[in-house]
Amino acid sequence: EKGGYDSFMEKEINEQPKAVEDTLLGRTDAQGRLTLDELRISPEQLKETSKIIVLACGTAAYAGTVAKYAIEHWTRIPVEVELAHEFRYRDPIIDQTTLVVSISQSGETMDTLMAVRYAKEQGARTLSICNTNGSTIPRESDAVLYLHAGPEIAVASTKAFLAMITASYLLGLYLAQLRGQLFSGQISDILADLHKIPAKIQTILDGAEPIKALARDMAQTPSVLFLGRHVGFPVAMEGALKLKELAYIHAEGFAAGELKHGPIALIEEGQPVFVVVPSPRGRDSLHSKVVSNIQEVRARGAKTITVAEQGDAAVTEYSENVFFVPETQPLLMPLLTTVPLQIFACALATEKGYDVDQPRNLAKSVTVE
Ligand code: F6R
């Protein structure tokens, strides 16, 4: 049932090309226009959306942060992302034109469910991005976008994360299409690039051995830091979470720009720092600022490990190890840059002899608040 892999986690990491492909499958009609699954909100109602609030926990919330960058960029609708368990305790401002998007693999996370219920009571329209057909959150939501990623057995989320990000892109493009915010040619270009992602993930999986070798070498490391910027920021957070939950190593993710506001004080000789580097073809100065961050931590003794776009020559000189990922649009990069971090955490935990499918103290679905 593990399909020849040692763990479900490894199997699910390797299923990611298919998970992304299946999330994309059958989302366009004969005219090439995007369609969504179970939309019990009318297109007119969706068009009126004045604000989106994304609610989720853990890994799903990091997918939500990626969603924010993409949806705001494509639709110009303001997007807030909030941990579901914080949401209703702050008296949030919600009305009928607020679209609350919950993201949940299981569809049973109690914190997320309670936040969705609260939002509904306040009059918001609710849309669920979910992997589990017929689970509670999608049943209670006005609309559903299913991931179709197949069951995720390992406690730590991997393929569902990439599928959530993919589904969020589809939602953003759908809203942009409804509101006439992007030309149909722009939407089909982005969709075409999305359809190329599964093969690119496969390239990363096929070249995973050096990442696993580094993980084995680093099994005794007591702490690892992760830096990212723009969509690389939630990827850094996700890389840190995977390492905490699987390998029980102290790991922290930071927005690279925060470094000089405090975290750089943590850097001492030999401190491993992963840096998720933005595309050199993206927004001007973003890439060079992150390269400066790599230099800054390295100058203070950090062991720098970078995840960068293929051909990014600027990072090599400042990196102890570089893992390249294939090129794609800057906003789509998390679908690629996440993968080396998942492989790293899984391999390191395995090297330490831990059960990667059942990490201590954790449950697959958190059904208490
Ligand atoms: C991390 C992880 C958790 C879940 C979180 C939300 O690997 O699995 O952080 O992402 O508990 O779960 P769902 O997506 O089922 O709502």
Side-chain angles (χ1 to χ4, degrees):
E1 50 180 16
K2 291 180 191 159
Y5 294 101
D6 293 338
S7 62
F8 282 108
M9 183 176 182
E10 222 187 311
K11 173 171 178 267
E12 287 158 9
I13 288 174
N14 282 280
E15 282 171 351
Q16 293 185 113
K18 183 160 190 324
V20 170
E21 200 174 294
D22 289 348
T23 302
L24 291 172
L25 202 70
R27 303 291 191 184
T28 40
D29 63 15
Q31 285 76 46
R33 289 178 65 81
L34 267 171
T35 54
L36 299 188
D37 283 343
E38 293 181 27
L39 211 59
R40 296 178 290 264
I41 311 175
S42 71
E44 288 66 38
Q45 288 172 329
L46 273 180
K47 245 176 160 167
E48 293 166 9
T49 303
S50 63
K51 175 170 79 172
I52 293 173
I53 303 179
V54 180
L55 299 175
C57 304
T59 289
Y62 299 143
T65 306
V66 176
K68 174 187 165 78
Y69 286 92
I71 296 176
E72 285 191 338
H73 183 74
W74 291 331
T75 68
R76 310 311 296 148
I77 302 170
V79 182
E80 295 170 23
V81 188
E82 183 135 6
L83 293 169
H85 36 88
E86 285 294 321
F87 175 66
R88 61 194 167 117
Y89 300 101
R90 69 163 166 94
D91 210 1
I93 300 157
I94 305 169
D95 66 21
Q96 284 238 315
T97 66
T98 308
L99 178 66
V100 164
V101 176
S102 63
I103 307 183
S104 174
Q105 190 288 129
S106 63
E108 301 295 347
T109 300
M110 190 55 75
D111 289 317
T112 309
L113 174 62
M114 296 312 279
V116 169
R117 280 187 184 157
Y118 177 83
K120 267 184 89 168
E121 279 162 26
Q122 304 296 308
R125 300 194 168 112
T126 55
L127 184 148
S128 152
I129 292 179
C130 184
N131 197 36
T132 311
N133 285 44
S135 56
T136 310
I137 296 171
R139 274 195 281 116
E140 294 199 10
S141 299
D142 298 318
V144 193
L145 183 52
Y146 280 117
L147 301 180
H148 305 302
E152 193 178 63
I153 311 290
V155 165
S157 192
T158 54
K159 66 174 179 175
F161 180 63
L162 294 201
M164 286 163 182
I165 293 173
T166 305
S168 305
Y169 293 147
L170 290 174
L171 175 63
L173 294 173
Y174 179 82
L175 292 171
Q177 169 184 283
L178 267 186
R179 295 159 66 95
Q181 205 78 40
L182 291 176
F183 302 116
S184 61
Q186 292 174 296
I187 294 178
S188 51
D189 282 354
I190 300 167
L191 281 173
D193 283 336
L194 273 170
H195 280 282
K196 289 180 195 149
I197 291 285
K200 294 178 181 181
I201 298 173
Q202 192 58 51
T203 311
I204 302 170
L205 296 172
D206 292 342
E209 194 39 50
I211 307 168
K212 293 180 184 171
L214 177 70
R216 289 192 291 266
D217 283 352
M218 287 176 60
Q220 298 314 317
T221 192
S223 136
V224 183
L225 304 180
F226 292 79
L227 300 177
R229 194 162 177 148
H230 186 244
V231 287
F233 170 38
V235 172
M237 299 298 288
E238 172 64 3
L241 180 61
K242 287 287 97 88
L243 206 54
K244 287 176 218 185
E245 61 182 340
L246 296 166
Y248 318 145
I249 287 178
H250 171 252
E252 257 188 281
F254 300 107
E258 273 294 288
L259 204 57
K260 58 185 172 300
H261 301 288
I264 198 161
L266 288 170
I267 308 295
E268 55 186 11
E269 194 59 38
Q271 170 67 51
V273 181
F274 272 82
V275 186
V276 182
V277 185
S279 167
R281 299 168 301 114
R283 257 202 197 156
D284 39 301
S285 82
L286 189 60
H287 174 265
S288 60
K289 286 203 170 117
V290 173
V291 173
S292 303
N293 292 142
I294 304 172
Q295 290 171 273
E296 282 155 16
V297 294
R298 194 182 158 93
R300 289 160 181 82
K303 172 184 164 66
T304 49
I305 304 151
T306 52
V307 178
E309 187 179 276
Q310 194 68 53
D312 183 350
V315 298
T316 323
E317 187 183 339
Y318 309 110
S319 312
E320 217 92 15
N321 299 84
V322 194
F323 300 116
F324 286 117
V325 300
E327 273 186 23
T328 188
Q329 306 200 6
L331 278 169
L332 308 187
M333 276 185 89
L335 293 176
L336 303 176
T337 50
T338 303
V339 180
L341 306 184
Q342 297 168 333
I343 295 168
F344 179 79
C346 185
L348 199 149
T350 305
E351 177 69 14
K352 292 181 94 168
Y354 298 145
D355 180 351
V356 292
D357 289 339
Q358 296 283 346
R360 69 186 182 201
N361 309 340
L362 291 172
K364 181 66 185 160
S365 169
V366 184
T367 52
V368 290
E369 268 187 282

